[in-house]
Amino acid sequence: MTAIEPGAGEWRRLSTRMLLIHPVQELLRAWPLLLGLVVAGSAGGHGSWWSLIATGLVILGGLLRWFTTTYRVTAEQVQVRKGLLRRQVLTVPRDRIRTVDVTAHALHRSLGLAKVEIGTGRTDRKNDGVKLDALHATEAARLREELLHRANTGAPAASSAVRAAERPRETLLAQMRPEWLRYGPFTLTGFVTVGVIAGVVWRSLNEAHVDPRRIGVLSALADRFQRTPLAVDVLVVVVALLVVVAVASTLGYLLAFHGFRLTRGSAGTLHVTRGLITTRSITIEERRLRGVEFSEPLLLRAVGAARCIAITTGLRVGRGAERGGSLLLPPAPRPEALRVAGAVMRNDAPFTAPLTGHGPRATRRRFSRALGVTLLVLVAALALWGAGAVPAWTWQAAIVPVPLAALVAADRAHALGHAVVNGALVGRRGSLVRRRSVLSCEGIIGWNLRRSFFQRRSGLATLVATTAAGRQRVEVQDVPLNEALRVAEEALPGLLTPFLER
């Protein structure tokens, strides 16, 4: 494929190799429908014909995607035309481009292709930006570099030779190490994987009207469980599930983060590449980076690991750090995560500086919220047992969550902290997932001061720094009111003062 000159403005098609991939992708998406047609048609003796006709229509739809999709890159815009019955023209101004995400699934990689997603930073919109599925891999990489370099510098379009000579240099910030695989079992992504696989298998068996009890292996296991005590059966199932989840989590970690590299380009970008079967390349403009979240999920924290997430505009909100592309470092040793977070922010102090605690009133609020529900359930169980409505094991089981809730409350109270360090607002909170959010004060676009009925009675408030990046806000939870006002004034002097009652 020839190089795209931004000033040419000619409508072009995607790579012709996509004629081999689009039909396969459509068949994979439509397999539940095709399976249902086979089952439904079998009752009338025409299952094979129905499946053949449906398969042909799906393949035709995949071919039409290539014939009906064109795109062009001009000096001002990136445009994509697509659709047959409903024609669409998607346009992204080049000065609004914030991220260029290059992804290559296994089928793409086998043919030397890559999918390009161009985002503008309006992260809550599903149809934000445009997608080019797919270009030649080298052309996709060149287009990514050109679009972001153009957005950063605002310079006029240059020739291919000049662009090659001015290619940004990269500095390595972090790289995947084999020993990090030991953190895979503690990510718990295997629970999702096992759940999805179990759901697909169960749905397939239902669609095919297959009784699981008639499957030899499952029938033998069921007979074996019937001859052993219930406690032994539960123990075996739990251990087997944990082993399967650990293996699935480790495999998922390897597939997602194999070859991980985080680099900084001389043109002012952060570049993340990762993936084994599906490779992904995410580029973030540093001028859109507002902060970094230092995240420690409970199990990772127990083994001394953490991860880093970018607080930045241009990446999807609500899809998770990994899927949305904001993950700067996968689960890795905590000292390494601290080093990478400081290197990304060019400022180590916010991640290592001591934080101001929120005091005994915030601690009491944590315990009252955690223990209130569990104690209420225990009292209700005791009352029902006393009335003879439920057996004794009911209130005995209700005791178990009480000490667990107390431990969680103590951990959440210990996690609370805040500070303003070197021009950055730092807020820490959470127990199951402890987050230390570091937000540059320059990225704060407003303050939100929340006080519930119980917070007002305790003299506490939640200070929310709103931003146009990441999760859209950083919270300093359950802090004394006077301290909340002091922090807001220190971070952005004068912004909150005119709205306070005198």
Side-chain angles (χ1 to χ4, degrees), residues 11 40 95 141 158 168 174 210 224 254 300 302 330 389 398 413 415 418-419 437 495:
W11 288 101
D95 59 356
V210 175
R224 184 181 182 88
L254 178 63
L300 288 177
H418 66 277
S437 300
L495 182 61

Side-chain angles (χ1 to χ4, degrees), residues 104-249:
H105 300 289
L107 288 175
H108 289 80
R109 293 176 64 186
S110 65
L111 296 175
L113 301 176
K115 179 173 67 174
V116 179
E117 297 186 44
I118 303 171
T120 63
R122 298 167 67 185
T123 54
D124 289 328
R125 296 181 180 269
K126 181 179 179 180
N127 296 323
D128 174 45
V130 298
K131 298 179 182 180
L132 299 175
D133 187 9
L135 304 176
H136 192 276
T138 56
E139 175 62 18
R142 191 203 64 77
L143 182 62
R144 173 189 62 82
E145 179 182 318
E146 180 181 344
L147 290 177
L148 285 177
H149 183 67
R150 162 84 173 174
N152 284 338
T153 62
S159 65
S160 300
V162 173
R163 288 197 303 269
E166 296 179 352
R167 182 168 298 171
R169 296 181 302 275
E170 292 191 338
T171 302
L172 181 65
L173 298 182
Q175 188 172 10
M176 176 71 179
R177 298 175 187 172
E179 57 268 24
W180 293 0
L181 274 176
R182 68 178 183 269
Y183 300 120
F186 301 97
T187 60
L188 295 184
T189 55
F191 275 113
V192 179
T193 304
V194 172
V196 170
I197 294 176
V200 170
V201 172
W202 184 260
R203 180 176 177 179
S204 300
L205 293 176
N206 285 338
E207 293 286 349
H209 300 287
V210 175
D211 188 354
R213 292 173 296 183
R214 296 182 179 179
I215 300 176
V217 176
L218 297 180
S219 178
L221 287 175
D223 293 339
R224 184 181 182 88
F225 284 149
Q226 289 178 356
R227 296 194 299 268
T228 55
L230 178 61
V232 175
D233 293 344
V234 172
L235 180 62
V236 170
V237 171
V238 169
V239 171
L241 179 61
L242 290 177
V243 171
V244 171
V245 168
V247 172
S249 298

Side-chain angles (χ1 to χ4, degrees), residues 274-319:
R274 59 180 173 84
L276 181 59
I277 297 177
T278 298
T279 59
R280 188 172 185 186
S281 175
I282 305 104
T283 303
I284 304 171
E285 288 185 284
E286 285 195 90
R287 65 192 182 103
R288 300 294 171 182
L289 185 71
R290 296 294 177 258
V292 173
E293 180 181 282
F294 186 82
S295 177
E296 298 176 276
L298 181 61
L299 291 181
L300 288 177
R301 180 154 44 104
V303 294
R307 59 187 182 181
C308 297
I309 301 170
I311 303 176
T312 182
T313 59
L315 297 177
R316 291 179 178 85
V317 176
R319 297 183 60 192

Side-chain angles (χ1 to χ4, degrees), residues 359-372 409 412-413 416 451-458 460-462 477-479:
R361 289 177 291 180
T363 300
R364 287 196 298 269
R365 178 168 164 78
R366 286 290 176 271
F367 275 91
S368 63
R369 294 178 65 181
L371 293 176
R412 293 186 65 198
L416 289 177
R451 302 188 73 195
S452 67
F453 171 77
F454 295 103
Q455 282 180 313
R456 291 196 301 270
R457 289 182 60 86
S458 301
L460 301 175
T462 296
Q477 295 180 342
D478 288 339
V479 65

Side-chain angles (χ1 to χ4, degrees), residues 233-450:
D233 293 344
V234 172
L235 180 62
V236 170
V237 171
V238 169
V239 171
L241 179 61
L242 290 177
V243 171
V244 171
V245 168
V247 172
S249 298
T250 304
L251 181 60
Y253 186 99
L254 178 63
L255 293 177
F257 303 118
H258 178 268
F260 172 87
R261 283 172 56 88
L262 171 64
T263 59
R264 169 177 281 127
S266 59
T269 58
L270 294 173
H271 187 50
V272 178
T273 56
R274 59 180 173 84
L276 181 59
I277 297 177
T278 298
T279 59
R280 188 172 185 186
S281 175
I282 305 104
T283 303
I284 304 171
E285 288 185 284
E286 285 195 90
R287 65 192 182 103
R288 300 294 171 182
L289 185 71
R290 296 294 177 258
V292 173
E293 180 181 282
F294 186 82
S295 177
E296 298 176 276
L298 181 61
L299 291 181
L300 288 177
R301 180 154 44 104
V303 294
R307 59 187 182 181
C308 297
I309 301 170
I311 303 176
T312 182
T313 59
L315 297 177
R316 291 179 178 85
V317 176
R319 297 183 60 192
E322 181 182 330
R323 293 184 61 199
S326 59
L327 192 69
L328 292 174
L329 185 73
R334 193 175 188 275
E336 177 69 6
L338 286 172
R339 183 193 67 80
V340 171
V344 169
M345 288 287 292
R346 303 178 190 268
N347 187 2
D348 295 329
F351 300 97
T352 58
L355 303 181
T356 301
H358 292 189
R361 289 177 291 180
T363 300
R364 287 196 298 269
R365 178 168 164 78
R366 286 290 176 271
F367 275 91
S368 63
R369 294 178 65 181
L371 293 176
V373 176
T374 55
L375 291 177
L376 183 63
V377 171
L378 177 59
V379 171
L382 285 171
L384 292 174
W385 172 71
V390 296
W393 65 264
T394 305
W395 67 266
Q396 294 170 358
I399 295 178
V400 176
V402 176
L404 296 179
L407 291 175
V408 172
D411 191 50
R412 293 186 65 198
H414 176 72
L416 289 177
H418 66 277
V420 178
V421 183
N422 288 0
L425 173 66
V426 183
R428 189 179 64 186
R429 67 186 191 281
S431 178
L432 298 180
V433 180
R434 179 170 295 178
R435 297 184 173 95
R436 185 179 182 126
S437 300
V438 176
L439 178 64
S440 172
C441 293
E442 295 178 354
I444 300 175
I445 61 176
W447 295 108
N448 191 345
L449 198 63
R450 298 201 308 255

